[in-house]
Amino acid sequence: MAQQSDFDLALHTKWFTKEPPAFPLPCMKALGPCTSTYNWFWEQDFADTTKTLICAVRWTDTRAITKVRVKWKRSNPAGTVTAEQKHYPAPAPLSEEDLDKAHGLYGANIATWAEETVGTTVGDGECWTLIHRALLDLADTYRQYGKEPPLISQGRSHGYPILSLTAPTLGSNSGLLQLAD
């Protein structure tokens, strides 16, 4: 897989000064569904305040990550802004053997967790909330016992991506039903 090129961060728009920052940028969102996070900190001296914004975006279909650090002086953001980007490629595909191993390690426990919640509402009641909570709870348990935890959900992608489907039209599930036959 090719290394991700640096994004045009459009620093002239001063998106980084907004609270919350307008991140991820449209050029990042154009690569597909993603999740993001950010954190601020600042340093005060006698003359001015230097602000730093650290952002990260992870694409849910590939799990590739880009981190961005932006620094500027509060008194003159446009004239003092600097930025750095670091790109982390998607993880290597898992072999059939690795997928079978993960299924053996996590599959039954995830199913049991879900079965134990029958009759209750988990989170907002949506199916992806259920699996996300299951993975979070099981990850904590696995860590307590010193074992490798399952991959946590990224948006609506859960675990290691092995199949991606798109409904033929908005709100249609006919393509999924045909696949199940």
Side-chain angles (χ1 to χ4, degrees):
M1 171 174 267
Q3 177 69 21
Q4 172 65 48
S5 309
D6 280 354
F7 291 96
D8 175 1
L9 296 179
L11 297 173
H12 66 280
T13 66
K14 296 189 262 183
W15 59 267
F16 49 89
T17 63
K18 312 261 187 296
E19 292 186 33
F23 189 85
L25 300 169
C27 61
M28 294 173 169
K29 290 180 181 179
L31 292 182
C34 57
T35 58
S36 63
T37 187
Y38 67 91
N39 196 4
W40 303 90
F41 61 92
W42 51 91
E43 301 168 57
Q44 181 82 38
D45 63 23
F46 293 108
D48 207 347
T49 301
T50 300
K51 292 192 169 190
T52 302
L53 172 66
I54 298 175
C55 305
V57 60
R58 182 179 215 175
W59 285 270
T60 57
D61 55 349
T62 66
R63 296 187 177 266
I65 297 172
T66 291
K67 294 182 180 179
V68 176
R69 180 171 54 187
V70 183
K71 290 180 90 166
W72 69 97
K73 296 277 188 186
R74 184 179 63 179
S75 63
N76 182 13
T80 60
V81 65
T82 60
E84 297 175 71
Q85 299 180 49
K86 289 188 179 179
H87 308 285
Y88 302 89
L94 294 178
S95 67
E96 187 173 339
E97 181 181 326
D98 289 336
L99 289 170
D100 285 341
K101 181 181 173 189
H103 170 70
L105 287 172
Y106 310 121
N109 290 333
I110 292 169
T112 299
W113 191 97
E115 288 169 353
E116 290 174 355
T117 65
V118 170
T120 66
T121 301
V122 177
D124 61 5
E126 297 288 342
C127 59
W128 50 80
T129 307
L130 173 76
I131 190 64
H132 179 68
R133 283 284 307 278
L135 290 168
L136 285 175
D137 287 355
L138 290 170
D140 287 343
T141 302
Y142 277 76
R143 281 189 201 96
Q144 288 173 5
Y145 288 94
K147 297 185 181 214
E148 184 177 348
L151 289 173
I152 302 303
S153 307
Q154 295 296 311
R156 294 181 188 156
S157 294
H158 313 288
Y160 189 84
I162 59 170
L163 177 66
S164 178
L165 299 172
T166 303
T169 59
L170 188 60
S172 168
N173 62 5
S174 62
L176 299 178
L177 295 176
Q178 290 170 358
L179 181 67
D181 289 340

